[in-house]
Amino acid sequence: MRVLVTGGAGFIGSHIVEALKAHGHEPVVYDVRPDPESDVRNPYAVRQALTGVDAVCHQAAMVGLGAGFADATEYVSRNDLGTAVLLTAMADAGVRRLVLAGSMVVYGEGRYACEAHGVVRPGPRAVADLDAGRFEPSCPQCGADLAPGLVAEDAPVDPRNVYATTKLAQEHLAAAWARATDGTAVSLRYHNVYGPGMPRDTPYAGVASFFRSALAREEAPRVFEDGRQRRDFVHVRDVAAANVAALEASAEVLPGGALMAYNTGSGDPHTVGEMAHALAEAYGGPEPVVTGEYRLGDVRHITADSARLRTELGWKAEVGFADGMREFAMAGMRGA
């Protein structure tokens, strides 16, 4: 299979390229880093890149929470306009298979249960609560403490920042393309991806990269809130394997005409504090410092159930938390 990988020179994209080669496919890298003309917003360049292509793995995007609403125009342009240009060119070229880099951020807060009211959906956290160090959402009906749980793909979506909104819009565009063309579209809703080649020291880098960079400077990682916010840290090689599984899935598993969404996580949630401690221990650096600071667009807990991906596409995460964090820390020591 000849597969166009947009963002193929990037963090996740480059691992997908290697995974495709390992499975006997022919990846075609399309990325602005080696070639500024290779922008998904460039209709001519996209049409040229699609020549002879059987499928597209769309990883190109502006990622991360960003530095504030000032980035909104750039996020929408790169993520949503870029996706629309790509899908239009795919429709014209007769390319009918798409795997999209989705994100768990489309859910907003995770799944919560109140002892008295069952499953509830707390609204955005109030600034006054965050300033006072009250980080846990409470029941919107009675104010009681909530128990966080796993989010399934059929949970309501509730994006809480600009980046999350653009990721949801990408899914809607892909769904419309699939209906119009009878194409096969998959959104892999990535959790917190980490691993070799992860960007560092930019406003859009992941928290694991920030922590590792601090340790490389012999500084203590600074953990926001109280460090107890729960995430699912999934290794980039496992994410690459999920993309290959989605591309290789049969028509019986992935029929055309609709978008299928799959949570893509390790299935082994950990707190941000636990991740910081694991990196510090592996790096031999200073212990993390819990700051109580916060970012208004962040959610408290978001961990999802990846059972559908395992059951339907035969994928499972292979890299465990301890081994993956140790490898990531060692890569930082080597400058990778």
Side-chain angles (χ1 to χ4, degrees):
M1 187 187 304
R2 183 175 168 89
V3 182
L4 182 69
V5 184
T6 71
F11 168 43
I12 298 175
S14 61
H15 284 272
I16 293 171
V17 167
E18 293 305 312
L20 285 167
K21 290 178 182 177
H23 282 76
H25 300 294
E26 180 186 356
V28 179
V29 174
Y30 187 87
D31 198 294
V32 295
R33 271 153 281 211
D35 179 8
E37 292 299 313
S38 296
D39 189 315
V40 288
R41 296 170 293 182
N42 182 336
Y44 175 78
V46 170
R47 286 196 298 270
Q48 293 296 110
L50 286 170
T51 302
V53 162
D54 303 299
V56 173
C57 192
H58 184 29
Q59 306 297 309
M62 186 174 180
V63 300
L65 180 60
F69 199 81
D71 288 334
T73 301
E74 193 69 9
Y75 269 117
V76 171
S77 177
R78 289 180 180 271
N79 296 355
D80 299 338
L81 175 61
T83 298
V85 170
L86 173 66
L87 293 173
T88 300
M90 289 174 64
D92 291 342
V95 180
R96 296 291 183 265
R97 195 170 192 93
L98 170 73
V99 177
L100 171 69
S103 176
M104 53 81 185
V105 295
V106 300
Y107 297 118
E109 281 286 356
R111 184 181 188 275
Y112 294 89
C114 170
E115 191 172 271
H117 297 101
V119 176
V120 295
R121 293 188 60 77
R125 295 181 294 173
V127 171
D129 287 336
L130 295 170
D131 285 342
R134 295 188 293 269
F135 302 119
E136 293 287 347
S138 57
C139 177
Q141 298 183 48
C142 68
D145 292 341
L146 298 174
L150 299 179
V151 180
E153 288 89 348
D154 58 358
V157 291
D158 184 17
R160 298 286 176 91
N161 55 60
V162 172
Y163 169 64
T165 302
T166 64
K167 296 306 291 183
L168 181 57
Q170 284 185 308
E171 289 194 356
H172 289 320
L173 287 165
W177 168 84
R179 287 192 295 272
T181 65
D182 199 35
T184 299
V186 172
S187 178
L188 297 175
R189 291 175 175 171
Y190 300 160
H191 278 253
N192 292 72
V193 186
Y194 73 97
M198 190 175 190
R200 62 174 71 202
D201 301 328
T202 79
Y204 311 101
V207 65
S209 178
F210 284 127
F211 290 167
R212 192 181 69 173
S213 294
L215 290 163
R217 299 189 300 268
E218 299 184 352
E219 299 173 1
R222 295 174 59 83
V223 180
F224 279 15
E225 301 187 19
D226 58 5
R228 296 175 184 169
Q229 55 272 46
R230 297 171 76 243
R231 298 291 188 270
D232 186 326
F233 301 100
V234 59
H235 197 277
V236 66
R237 288 197 299 272
D238 287 329
V239 168
N243 277 268
V244 175
L247 286 164
E248 292 181 340
S250 68
E252 288 74 23
V253 175
L254 293 175
L259 174 80
M260 288 294 294
Y262 292 96
N263 293 328
T264 308
S266 70
D268 181 27
H270 289 268
T271 68
V272 172
E274 287 171 341
M275 186 264 286
H277 279 283
L279 283 178
E281 181 179 355
Y283 215 98
E287 285 293 294
V289 174
V290 177
T291 68
E293 298 172 86
Y294 64 86
R295 297 192 306 178
L296 191 59
D298 280 346
V299 298
R300 179 59 173 174
H301 305 294
I302 176 64
T303 56
D305 185 352
S306 299
R308 177 188 287 179
L309 183 57
R310 294 192 298 269
T311 301
E312 296 186 6
L313 300 189
W315 169 93
K316 67 175 182 177
E318 300 288 351
V319 182
F321 178 78
D323 289 343
M325 288 297 166
R326 191 177 304 113
E327 179 201 31
F328 184 56
M330 295 303 104
M333 292 181 186
R334 297 190 299 268

